[in-house]
Amino acid sequence: MATAVPAQRPSLHAHNRYWVVPAVRAVLALAAAAVITFTRDAHTPAFGLVVFGVFAVLDGLVTGILSGILAGRRITRTLFAVQGGIGVLAGVLALALSGAGLGLYLYLVTVWAALTGMLELYNGVRERGRDAAARDWLITGAITAVLALALLFSPADAVLVIGLFGAWAVIVGVFQAIGAATLRSAAHGHTGGPHGAERAS
């Protein structure tokens, strides 16, 4: 029995390779989570800005460039390019101003999470029923938006707010790894014949 996929539409052809994007993003998120987890005694604002900065730059590049190559429709690629650009900008600012203190960390991570979360959430809602990755975008965007709210209402405590980013990275990293495996399996299942996706619909 064929695996049920949310969208058996023309855009499905992009998923033959699109699974690479969530796979790489999962590795980056889990790496950031590991750094935060195993350096608990070093959770200073400067440390948080550096870890976030490196992650945001790399994730922004992956999201913007690879999604631009492998994602489905043009508007989807454009929105991911904007999302990636926001990540790179936030990361560069975090690295360049890593000595600026906890206030900057809270501001940058909160704004980054709000903007990128809403963009990814919007992509998921807009492509729901048309793109096999839409549910993953919707959930990842929602979790990221929740991070923004959590940081907005958190006390100004470096250990707590850096830990919140680490917790987000674990959840999103695991979810994206599962999503990558699911998309890869679905893509392979629909490449058994020249018109596998159309037959399955």
Side-chain angles (χ1 to χ4, degrees):
M1 181 179 292
T3 303
V5 178
Q8 316 287 352
R9 308 270 175 145
S11 63
L12 189 62
H13 71 277
H15 301 140
N16 291 342
R17 294 179 297 160
Y18 181 78
W19 63 269
V20 172
V21 180
V24 176
R25 291 184 71 192
V27 170
L28 294 175
L30 292 174
V35 170
I36 291 171
T37 300
F38 294 112
T39 55
R40 193 165 297 176
D41 295 334
H43 287 183
T44 64
F47 169 84
L49 283 165
V50 169
V51 173
F52 169 73
V54 172
F55 167 80
V57 168
L58 295 178
D59 182 72
L61 290 173
V62 168
T63 300
I65 296 173
L66 290 186
S67 294
I69 297 170
L70 302 175
R73 300 198 304 160
R74 179 179 297 176
I75 183 62
T76 302
R77 297 194 298 270
T78 299
L79 289 172
F80 274 121
V82 173
Q83 181 178 329
I86 292 170
V88 171
L89 177 60
V92 168
L93 286 173
L95 292 172
L97 303 172
S98 60
L102 185 59
L104 181 67
Y105 173 86
L106 282 168
Y107 179 78
L108 279 180
V109 181
T110 301
V111 172
W112 165 84
L115 293 178
T116 61
M118 291 307 297
L119 281 171
E120 193 152 1
L121 180 62
Y122 175 70
N123 249 337
V125 171
R126 192 179 54 80
E127 292 297 317
R128 191 175 181 183
R130 290 187 294 199
D131 198 302
R135 187 176 70 91
D136 294 342
W137 298 336
L138 195 157
I139 295 174
T140 300
I143 295 171
T144 307
V146 168
L147 171 65
L149 288 174
L151 290 172
L152 189 62
F153 294 105
S154 291
D157 179 89
V159 174
L160 174 61
V161 294
I162 293 171
L164 283 174
F165 177 71
W168 170 87
V170 170
I171 295 169
V172 167
V174 170
F175 179 77
Q176 287 183 332
I178 294 170
T182 302
L183 286 174
R184 185 173 186 270
S185 175
H188 285 186
H190 287 281
T191 53
H195 302 290
E198 286 78 5
R199 289 198 192 101
S201 59

